[in-house]
Amino acid sequence: MDLIRKHCAHMGSVLALSSNPGHQNWPFSKDPLPSRWDAHPAHWDRPPRWERRDGRLPNPGSFHSLHRSCKDVFPHQIEGVKMIINKTLSSFFKVSHTLHLSAVSPSYYRFHVEHLQSDDYSKDKDAPALIGEMDSSGSLNAHALLHLTERVRARTVFQSQQSQFVTWQFETEYRGSDFTAAVTVANPDILRESVILVAHFLQSVSSGLVLGGELVYHRGRAEEGGILTLAGQYSRPNWVATLNAGKGGAHASYYHRANKQIQVGVEFEASTRTQETTTSFGYQMELPEANMVFRGMINSRCIIGGVLEKRLTPLPATLIMGAFVNHRGDKLQVGLGVNVG
């Protein structure tokens, strides 16, 4: 079982999210920061356009988006100085340049490019068809999304660190009228006789209740086995409660929208592998008149943080300022960023 968890934690993609949900890389942890490829693009988890609106049960969406409402309330760690320049070259081609200077982690430059699907190719015109990314260390990420039919979507991910491949993954998802089923094949290796298989299934039981599960299976020369995780979500117009529980641990979250400006979220995570539990509280406050959004958090590890985003109108730029304090470890991290475009 430890081998399965190790493989799941190592992969910077769907398996890492599904097997270890939640904020696993809080500031000041010894774990490497997660890649932006750990999360699906927003459109991938968005309910399909053909979702029924005639009173019948809706499609439950993707398994990866169960805790998304709560996660979006929490601030993302920012450290050092970061500048992001986005450029739209055409209606289907976008590029971005990222420069990050840090005294804690290695500084880097990253080039990101997206080729978007045309209106004739897909009904969801803002869905990326091809995404590529390379940084100054030589690491490469390649990501492809294809709408094979109105209900079937395929996803392929390749990741390399310097000169070594670390992830090659293939996923197919089918969205029925009131259910979603997905199968993922990751890191298949014929020579080492190893492979990781992940199956997801979600079913809408009522207009507000969704039940499902995830099965992770690993086969290798030394060991093979599986981990089953059950999931449930109950939602109302202003709040969402979600629970994942299995042999590897539990992850519960609660999201509540108080009004148009304030949203709050609470997360509880327990891991049987590390024998640790973490409770986190986060909130988001929007000030439309000032073009500002503030996100803050505090958790049971005595970590407090906040990120302020300020839109610099009429300039096409956003100023981002953040600070995180670890009172138990007596550490402070401060970050400043500018997003142009």
Side-chain angles (χ1 to χ4, degrees), residues 258-278:
N259 51 48
K260 293 182 179 180
Q261 286 77 37
I262 299 177
Q263 305 174 53
V264 297
V266 180
E267 278 193 318
F268 172 80
E269 298 175 84
S271 173
T272 57
R273 181 175 62 91
T274 61
Q275 298 296 314
E276 294 181 353
T277 60
T278 303

Side-chain angles (χ1 to χ4, degrees), residues 106-341:
S107 302
Y108 64 86
Y109 163 78
R110 177 181 295 156
F111 177 72
H112 178 86
V113 59
E114 295 183 4
H115 182 277
L116 308 183
Q117 297 176 353
S118 63
D119 294 341
D120 296 334
Y121 184 79
S122 173
K123 294 182 179 180
D124 197 352
K125 62 182 180 180
D126 61 349
L130 298 173
I131 303 176
E133 187 174 85
M134 176 175 285
D135 59 25
S136 53
S137 67
S139 299
L140 173 68
N141 296 296
H143 185 130
L145 294 174
L146 298 176
H147 291 254
L148 302 179
T149 67
E150 189 178 26
R151 296 176 181 266
V152 180
R153 293 185 284 186
R155 180 173 183 260
T156 303
V157 176
F158 291 93
Q159 296 180 334
S160 68
Q161 291 183 355
Q162 297 179 354
S163 60
Q164 295 183 348
F165 276 103
V166 293
T167 301
W168 49 100
Q169 174 181 309
F170 310 93
E171 177 183 358
T172 302
E173 181 185 79
Y174 179 83
R175 293 197 175 188
S177 57
D178 59 357
F179 72 92
T180 299
V183 177
T184 302
V185 180
N187 289 13
D189 193 327
I190 300 178
L191 299 180
R192 297 181 180 179
E193 300 178 358
S194 64
V195 67
I196 298 176
L197 300 176
V198 181
H200 294 148
F201 183 81
L202 288 179
Q203 173 71 55
S204 294
V205 180
S206 67
S207 59
L209 180 61
V210 174
L211 298 177
E214 172 196 65
L215 176 62
V216 180
Y217 170 78
H218 173 264
R219 176 182 174 86
R221 291 181 178 178
E223 184 180 357
E224 69 173 318
I227 296 178
L228 175 64
T229 301
L230 301 179
Q233 182 182 79
Y234 188 77
S235 60
R236 304 307 298 167
N238 294 330
W239 58 271
V240 180
T242 308
L243 173 64
N244 291 16
K247 190 174 182 179
H251 179 203
S253 67
Y254 176 79
Y255 163 82
H256 188 93
R257 187 178 187 92
N259 51 48
K260 293 182 179 180
Q261 286 77 37
I262 299 177
Q263 305 174 53
V264 297
V266 180
E267 278 193 318
F268 172 80
E269 298 175 84
S271 173
T272 57
R273 181 175 62 91
T274 61
Q275 298 296 314
E276 294 181 353
T277 60
T278 303
T279 303
S280 306
F281 171 79
Y283 64 94
Q284 174 179 309
M285 180 180 298
E286 299 181 20
L287 301 175
E289 298 81 3
N291 296 317
M292 294 174 54
V293 176
F294 179 81
R295 294 181 177 90
M297 58 78 57
I298 181 173
N299 67 13
S300 57
R301 299 180 183 177
C302 299
I303 297 177
I304 302 176
V307 173
L308 175 66
E309 299 181 12
K310 167 67 175 178
R311 185 70 178 178
L312 303 178
T313 55
L315 299 176
T318 301
L319 178 65
I320 304 173
M321 298 178 291
F324 291 84
V325 180
N326 186 341
H327 289 278
R328 185 176 298 176
D330 195 21
K331 296 181 180 179
L332 170 67
Q333 287 187 1
V334 180
L336 176 66
V338 177
N339 194 327
V340 181

